[in-house]
Structures are given as structure tokens and as C-alpha cells.
């Protein structure tokens, strides 16, 4: 720790947070244009193209609403539009964000039950099936699920969740948060029987923070007509009749300029190729962490269920006696590398490497090498060779 601290970092910051993510120059340039009347035919065409593109990415033929808000707004829209005060929903515990959605649903007046789970292992889906089978009166109106839990770096298999609901012959709707999987991991809204999908702009779509997306099934739209929770800005019925773009208030046209470019980039690469790139980068990251782990003495993968490890973010547990925030501070202040921290009870105990969005092999290797450098500088024990393992994984 004797070298002088880099007070004026040069070069681009290596940004490996799991959201917001790097905004590609192409998107920045697409947004760098004069404003346009949101009722002009030219804008209506851009809006139409964005809606069609988002439906292709969500793999849905159903409704889509855009909100000028972060993901929390789309969470709120889903809850406020579907339910009435005192109704019951079931949250599948995956980690910090699942409990955040629970807290919001309670604040809005719902009764919330939780299917509890070990954050490192992921939920046992048979527990969901058991709870639904017991609910003979169908008091549970919906299951709320976070597809990719950004706090733990673990995925929830939504097709299995859908199967559990169907096998219990339960009419509950399935609401899914795809905020950190949209545009980076496979997602099939209609095939998986998702009634509401909640997404955000600042992760796999590579856009600035501030636009949220909600995919809504015909069944959810029908339920929204009976809902009695108060709502206005997020009211889908009102939105549907306000302006051709289904928006209350001024339409943020620049977001749509950026979104149109984002969809173009994702489709030029090909969605499957985008997902495979994320899988390759995730595999390489995990290969590095496994070497660093040094048989339990160094940092370890937080997730312990191999097939549920996320392809967009890796959460890494610090070795005993070391706090992640000290190492992250060194990474940021000395080496201009931004890593994600631990959330909620994981604060200080883990760090997170986001490998989603506009990212390639050199960017990831830069991040992994600099993480090693920061760990060495901060005195965190780890076995060397993580970057070599990542190179080996990427060269396959
Ligand atoms: N859900 C998940 C899985 C997230 O990762 C996040 C943010 O990181 C949120 C919800 C909240 O979204 P926002 O910060 O855009 O409000």
C-alpha cells in the first residue's frame, strides 16, 4: 500500500457493477440529438418500433407499458394495477430484491407470505408447490418472483415455478422481475406463462437509468380492471387511453432514441449470441473465482447451486476477517475499477462482478486482473492464477 494513490485516474473507468452498466457509444450517439415532438409521426414510428422490439426481447405477443421511472416504479405498477387492499400474494425469497418487492407490496396494503429459502442455495420449488396446494380457497392471488437475483448472483428457474403453479391447479398469476436478466439471459414471457414482467433500462438494455418496462398478459389486464388499490401515474387503464404512446405526462423521447439503438444492437448480434456471450463471460468469471478460493482460504462463489449461477452477475464471498468494501475502495480509488458491493445483510461480506450489457473479453479480463491487483493491495488472501483460468475458459 506504499505507492502513491491515483488521485486523477486516467483512461476509461472499468465499470463492473451489475447495473447500471456501460452505455455503448452507439447508444450515447443515438441519444445525442435534438428533441422531437412526442406526437410527431416520426416519433410515433420510433415508439412503435421500440414496442415491437421489446416484445421480441420479452418473447411476448401481449401488452407492454413503458414508465418514466426506475425498476421500482414497474414493481409498483404491477402491484397497484393487479390487486385490492388486503389481498394475499406469495413472494419467493431469492435475496435482497425479492424482499424489497415484498416490502413494497406490504406498504401498498397487501398481505404477503414468503416461501423462504437459503440465499446461497436458492428456493426448493416443491415448497412453493406445497403452499399452493394447501390454498384450497385460492386466497393467494399471485406469485412474485425475481428471475435473476442481482444481490446473490442466482437465477430462479421460472419455467419450473410455472409448472409448480399449474400442477397445483392454482389460478395465481405469476409476476416476474427481469430487471437484471432482460437482454442478457434467456427470457420467455409467454412460453413460461408470466403474467407480468418487470424490467428496467440500465442493465442488459445498456441504457441510462430511468425507464422501466412492464409486459402484461391478457389475464393480468383482466385482473387490473377489478383492482381497487389506489393508483394514477402507473394506472394501465388510464395509460392505455392517454396519447398514442400510452403515457401519462411528457414522453421521454430520448429514452426511446436510445432504446431503438439498443434493440438494433441486440438484434444485430442476435439474442441467442448475446445470451451465449454472457454465458461465456460468466463461466470465465467463475473459473477465476474458483482458483482465487484456494480450497476455502480465499474468496468463494456465494451461490452454491451450480445450475442456478447467474450469467449476468457473480457474487463473491470474502474470506473470514476481510471486508469487501475495503478492497472495493482500493479497486475504485487506486485502479479506477468499479465493482458492486454487498446488499442488505451481505454488506461488506461479498462483492459483485457485473458481467452484463456492453462487455467483451478484454473488458472482463481487465476487471478480473484488476480485482486480483486490488485484493493483493488490500491484503486479501487468494490463490494466484484466476486470470489464467479465465483465459483458458474463454479460449475454449
Ligand atoms: N430488482 C432487481 C433484480 C434489481 O437488480 C434492481 C436494481 O438493481 C431492482 C429490482 C430495483 O430497480 P431500480 O434500482 O431500477 O429501481
Amino acid at each position: 500500500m506504499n505507492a502513491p494513490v491515483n488521485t486523477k485516474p486516467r483512461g476509461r473507468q472499468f465499470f463492473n457493477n451489475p447495473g447500471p452498466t456501460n452505455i455503448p457509444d452507439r447508444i450515447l450517439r443515438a441519444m445525442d440529438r435534438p428533441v422531437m415532438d412526442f406526437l410527431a409521426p416520426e416519433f410515433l414510428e420510433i415508439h412503435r418500433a421500440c414496442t415491437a422490439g421489446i416484445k421480441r426481447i420479452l418473447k411476448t405477443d401481449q401488452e407492454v407499458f413503458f414508465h418514466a421511472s426506475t425498476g421500482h416504479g414497474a414493481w409498483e405498477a404491477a402491484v397497484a394495477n393487479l390487486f385490492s387492499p388486503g389481498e394475499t400474494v406469495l413472494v419467493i425469497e431469492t435475496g435482497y430484491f425479492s424482499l424489497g418487492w415484498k416490502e413494497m407490496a406490504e406498504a401498498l396494503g397487501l398481505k404477503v407470505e414468503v416461501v423462504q429459502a437459503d440465499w446461497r442455495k436458492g428456493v426448493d420449488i416443491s415448497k412453493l408447490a406445497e403452499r399452493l396446494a394447501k390454498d384450497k380457497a385460492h386466497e393467494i392471488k399471485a406469485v412474485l418472483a425475481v428471475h435473476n437475483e442481482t444481490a446473490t448472483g442466482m437465477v430462479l428457474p421460472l419455467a419450473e415455478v410455472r409448472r409448480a403453479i399449474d400442477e397445483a391447479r392454482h389460478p395465481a398469476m405469476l409476476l416476474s422481475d427481469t430487471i437484471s436478466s432482460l437482454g442478457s439471459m434467456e427470457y420467455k414471457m409467454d412460453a413460461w406463462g408470466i403474467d407480468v414482467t418487470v424490467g428496467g433500462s440500465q442493465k442488459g438494455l445498456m441504457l441510462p437509468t430511468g425507464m422501466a418496462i412492464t409486459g402484461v398478459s391478457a389475464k393480468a389486464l383482466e385482473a387490473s380492471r377489478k383492482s381497487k388499490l389506489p393508483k394514477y401515474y402507473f394506472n394501465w387503464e388510464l395509460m392505455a387511453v392517454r396519447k398514442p404512446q400510452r403515457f401519462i405526462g411528457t414522453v421521454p423521447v430520448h429514452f426511446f432514441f436510445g432504446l431503438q439503438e439498443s434493440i438494433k444492437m441486440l438484434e444485430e448480434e442476435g439474442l441467442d449470441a448475446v445470451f451465449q456471450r454472457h454465458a461465456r463471460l460468466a463461466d470465465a468469471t467463475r473459473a477465476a473465482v474458483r482458483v482465487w478460493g484456494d480450497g476455502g482460504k480465499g474468496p468463494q462463489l456465494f451461490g452454491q447451486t451450480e445450475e442456478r449461477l447467474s450469467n449476468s452477475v457473480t457474487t463473491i464471498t470474502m474470506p473470514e476477517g476481510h471486508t469487501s468494501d475495503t478492497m472495493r475502495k482500493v479497486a475504485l480509488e487506486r485502479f479506477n475499477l468499479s465493482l458492486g458491493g454487498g446488499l442488505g445483510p451481505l454488506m461488506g461480506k461479498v462483492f459483485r462482478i457485473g458481467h452484463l450489457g456492453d462487455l467483451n473479453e478484454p473488458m472482463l479480463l481487465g476487471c478480473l486482473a484488476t480485482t486480483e491487483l486490488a485484493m493483493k493491495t488490500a491484503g486479501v488472501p487468494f490463490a494466484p492464477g484466476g486470470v489464467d483460468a479465465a483465459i483458458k475458459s474463454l479460449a475454449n
Side-chain angles (χ1 to χ4, degrees):
M1 289 277 245
N2 291 330
V5 170
N6 194 3
T7 52
K8 293 257 184 290
R10 295 291 182 234
R12 278 212 170 188
Q13 184 173 80
F14 272 62
F15 196 83
N16 281 89
N17 269 283
T21 62
N22 296 292
I23 306 175
D25 292 346
R26 267 180 70 174
I27 290 184
L28 291 172
R29 275 191 229 113
M31 296 179 79
D32 182 8
R33 60 184 285 191
V35 74
M36 182 185 288
D37 181 344
F38 56 73
L39 291 171
E42 189 184 356
F43 181 70
L44 294 182
E45 175 49 31
I46 293 172
H47 182 270
R48 189 208 56 74
C50 287
T51 307
I54 280 295
K55 287 187 183 185
R56 289 193 296 276
I57 292 170
L58 291 180
K59 300 213 167 64
T60 184
D61 292 328
Q62 307 186 74
E63 292 292 338
V64 166
F65 292 99
F66 295 99
H67 310 284
S69 78
T70 68
H72 275 80
W75 267 2
E76 184 151 343
V79 173
N81 276 284
L82 294 177
F83 309 112
S84 297
E87 282 186 335
T88 303
V89 295
L90 193 57
V91 166
I92 300 177
E93 181 175 10
T94 48
Y96 177 83
F97 287 105
S98 62
L99 298 183
W101 207 1
K102 163 187 183 280
E103 201 176 301
M104 174 182 277
E106 282 169 344
L108 293 174
L110 300 188
K111 213 175 123 209
V112 185
E113 279 188 39
V114 177
V115 181
Q116 290 176 337
D118 179 325
W119 288 16
R120 297 193 77 167
K121 295 191 168 59
V123 73
D124 173 354
I125 297 200
S126 69
K127 278 172 66 182
L128 167 71
E130 270 167 35
R131 178 62 194 97
L132 291 173
K134 271 197 209 141
D135 181 33
K136 301 283 182 227
H138 295 165
E139 277 171 5
I140 295 167
K141 299 300 171 205
V143 174
L144 275 54
V146 174
H147 181 217
N148 187 70
E149 175 55 74
T150 327
T152 63
M154 291 185 70
V155 182
L156 182 61
L158 288 174
E160 288 177 35
V161 171
R162 176 79 258 171
R163 205 172 309 128
I165 299 173
D166 291 347
E167 281 175 9
R169 297 181 191 281
H170 199 289
M173 288 178 283
L174 176 55
L175 277 52
S176 136
D177 168 336
T178 178
I179 289 178
S180 58
S181 52
L182 180 66
S184 46
M185 288 160 58
E186 182 169 76
Y187 190 80
K188 297 180 175 174
M189 174 162 167
D190 290 355
W192 292 345
I194 310 287
D195 292 294
V196 174
T197 298
V198 169
S201 53
Q202 76 274 23
K203 298 190 196 261
L205 294 180
M206 309 169 285
L207 292 166
T209 309
M211 183 152 80
I213 294 152
T214 323
V216 184
S217 73
K219 180 174 168 183
L221 270 187
E222 184 57 37
S224 75
R225 293 189 190 104
K226 299 184 197 118
S227 143
K228 295 200 170 53
L229 278 182
K231 54 199 153 280
Y232 188 89
Y233 182 68
F234 292 120
N235 186 331
W236 295 332
E237 258 190 302
L238 265 190
M239 291 176 80
V241 294
R242 291 281 178 98
K243 301 190 186 79
Q245 306 89 334
R246 323 173 125 228
F247 230 92
I248 293 174
T250 306
V251 182
V253 293
H254 281 78
F255 261 113
F256 288 93
F257 299 157
L259 178 58
Q260 192 178 31
E261 192 65 19
S262 153
I263 294 167
K264 214 172 179 186
M265 288 178 72
L266 291 169
E267 292 188 335
E268 272 173 15
E269 187 177 352
L271 271 187
D272 287 340
V274 170
F275 301 153
Q276 282 160 17
R277 172 168 55 84
H278 281 79
R280 278 198 311 278
L281 298 177
D283 272 343
T285 307
R286 296 192 280 260
V289 178
R290 287 198 177 99
V291 171
W292 292 340
D294 199 13
K297 294 198 274 286
Q300 310 288 319
L301 288 172
F302 178 81
Q304 292 178 331
T305 304
E306 181 68 31
E307 64 279 12
R308 290 201 191 172
L309 295 177
S310 165
N311 284 344
S312 65
V313 51
T314 296
T315 301
I316 301 153
T317 308
M318 292 297 282
E320 208 50 47
H322 294 268
T323 149
S324 57
D325 293 340
T326 310
M327 186 278 286
R328 284 176 59 239
K329 194 166 156 36
V330 170
L332 184 64
E333 293 180 1
R334 258 187 86 171
F335 305 121
N336 212 7
L337 166 69
S338 179
L339 296 167
L343 296 171
L346 301 182
M347 194 177 288
K349 298 196 172 110
V350 304
F351 67 99
R352 295 174 301 150
I353 296 181
H355 31 77
L356 73 163
D358 190 39
L359 206 74
N360 60 19
E361 286 81 354
M363 291 158 91
L364 182 77
L365 290 171
C367 161
L368 296 174
T370 312
T371 302
E372 283 198 13
L373 177 60
M375 290 196 293
K376 203 174 174 73
T377 311
V380 177
F382 68 97
V387 175
D388 282 347
I391 291 174
K392 203 162 161 210
S393 161
L394 291 168
N396 270 334

